[in-house]
Amino acid sequence: MNNYTNDNTARRYKAHVSILGTTQLHLRNPYIIAWWSAAFPGFGHLLLSKYLRGYALFIWEVVVNVKAHVNSAMIYSFQGNIDMAKEVLDTRWLLMYIPVYLFGIWDSYRTTVDLNKVYLLAEREEHRFNSFSLGALEINYLDKRNPIVSVMWSLFIPGLGQLYIHRILTAVFVILWLVVFFYYSHVQEAVVLLFLGKVKEATSILKPEWLLFIPSHYGFAIYDSYINAVENNKLFEKELRNHLTENYQSKSFRILKGQKVK
């Protein structure tokens, strides 16, 4: 059940509230979105709520990166072992990896520019959208949430910040892949060994090609939860302001600029 049913009388809507989350249009910096796509293909599209495209690029990145040994080559290059980096790369997979990687950056930038234009048009149209959704499995509604709290939970476990601000699709996706990265990188086993003072064993047990996925994963979860918490708060305030103005403000009320009210 929604508190407002879309009657399709507007050309563009600013937001949509469903039991799976709040999807909204807002201004974004195309260069930042493109940067996230460069850091990890798919992240830029997930920031834009382009979930299917983001999931496809993300899974492609993981599978082809592992098959082409891109992360392993990066580690060898960081160590100055360029010959070993060249040797470990699998060109059969690498030649497929590069075009899709560049496409993810270009497409996220292009899409951000287009969505910014759509947002400006939707902002001018100022059409109503639902702000409350009640279903058999979930309840979602516009409300103010603390961005710092979302960051804090994301620091503990990526995905928890998204659950806090009710981005269910992103939260489930991020948590599931975090489990995959933790399992194959053996990072938690290494942490336990470090606490026991077994540094060499901790280092030897790590799988670097899977470990390199984790920093980007944490960074995205923190950034996504913070930005969306801020933007959801703005959306809540504007929706509440419009509601109060429409239902409680006198029609004859006018703000006189430059005049003091006694």
Side-chain angles (χ1 to χ4, degrees):
M1 294 183 291
N2 296 325
N3 63 340
Y4 173 74
T5 302
N6 183 359
D7 53 10
N8 292 321
T9 57
R11 293 192 67 190
R12 300 169 183 86
Y13 293 86
K14 288 192 300 183
H16 175 68
V17 175
S18 70
I19 60 172
L20 294 178
T22 301
T23 305
Q24 65 169 307
L25 297 173
H26 60 84
L27 292 177
R28 299 174 174 92
N29 188 325
Y31 294 104
I32 292 179
I33 301 299
W35 185 90
W36 276 110
S37 292
F40 204 119
F43 280 165
H45 291 85
L46 291 180
L47 287 168
L48 298 173
S49 297
K50 305 277 287 186
Y51 294 111
L52 295 180
R53 201 175 305 183
Y55 295 160
L57 289 170
F58 184 98
I59 294 171
W60 173 274
E61 160 68 16
V62 174
V63 173
V64 180
N65 187 308
V66 171
K67 293 293 184 180
H69 305 292
V70 174
N71 282 351
S72 298
M74 289 175 59
I75 293 169
Y76 285 123
S77 64
F78 291 156
Q79 295 172 345
N81 195 345
I82 305 301
D83 292 334
M84 192 62 187
K86 292 178 181 178
E87 183 178 341
V88 78
L89 281 173
D90 189 336
T91 54
R92 293 176 302 172
W93 287 94
L94 184 65
L95 293 178
M96 291 191 296
Y97 176 85
I98 296 173
V100 179
Y101 180 82
L102 296 176
F103 169 81
I105 299 172
W106 171 81
D107 188 65
S108 63
Y109 179 90
R110 176 197 61 82
T111 305
T112 305
V113 173
D114 288 344
L115 288 180
N116 284 346
K117 295 176 182 177
V118 173
Y119 166 77
L120 294 175
L121 293 172
E123 181 73 11
R124 292 181 181 180
E125 195 166 351
E126 199 65 70
H127 200 280
R128 186 183 175 188
F129 57 88
N130 65 307
S131 58
F132 180 90
S133 182
L134 176 65
L137 299 177
E138 263 292 355
I139 303 172
N140 187 24
Y141 51 90
L142 287 182
D143 193 12
K144 295 198 75 171
R145 290 177 171 84
N146 191 332
I148 303 302
V149 173
S150 66
V151 169
M152 179 191 70
W153 284 116
S154 295
L155 284 170
F156 287 136
I157 292 292
L160 295 184
Q162 279 74 16
L163 285 179
Y164 169 66
I165 61 175
H166 206 98
R167 282 174 62 82
I168 303 299
L169 293 175
T170 303
V172 172
F173 188 80
V174 168
I175 291 173
L176 286 177
W177 278 100
L178 180 71
V179 173
V180 173
F181 295 152
F182 274 178
Y183 179 82
Y184 284 104
S185 68
H186 299 281
V187 66
Q188 291 182 310
E189 299 171 54
V191 170
V192 173
L193 290 172
L194 279 176
F195 284 142
L196 297 175
K198 301 177 181 180
V199 179
K200 289 185 178 180
E201 291 183 37
T203 304
S204 62
I205 202 174
L206 281 174
K207 301 296 182 183
E209 61 181 3
W210 288 94
L211 182 64
L212 284 188
F213 289 128
I214 296 178
S216 297
H217 209 66
Y218 263 89
F220 167 77
I222 294 168
Y223 179 81
D224 178 77
S225 63
Y226 178 83
I227 289 298
N228 281 285
V230 171
E231 295 299 333
N232 283 354
N233 288 347
K234 293 179 183 178
L235 189 67
F236 166 77
E237 291 172 355
K238 186 153 193 178
E239 193 276 337
L240 180 60
R241 183 165 59 248
N242 290 341
H243 172 74
L244 295 175
T245 300
E246 181 180 346
N247 293 278
Y248 296 98
Q249 182 172 290
S250 172
K251 301 297 182 182
S252 60
F253 178 78
R254 294 291 182 273
I255 297 178
L256 303 177
K257 294 183 179 180
Q259 296 185 19
K260 295 183 178 179
V261 179
K262 296 181 180 181

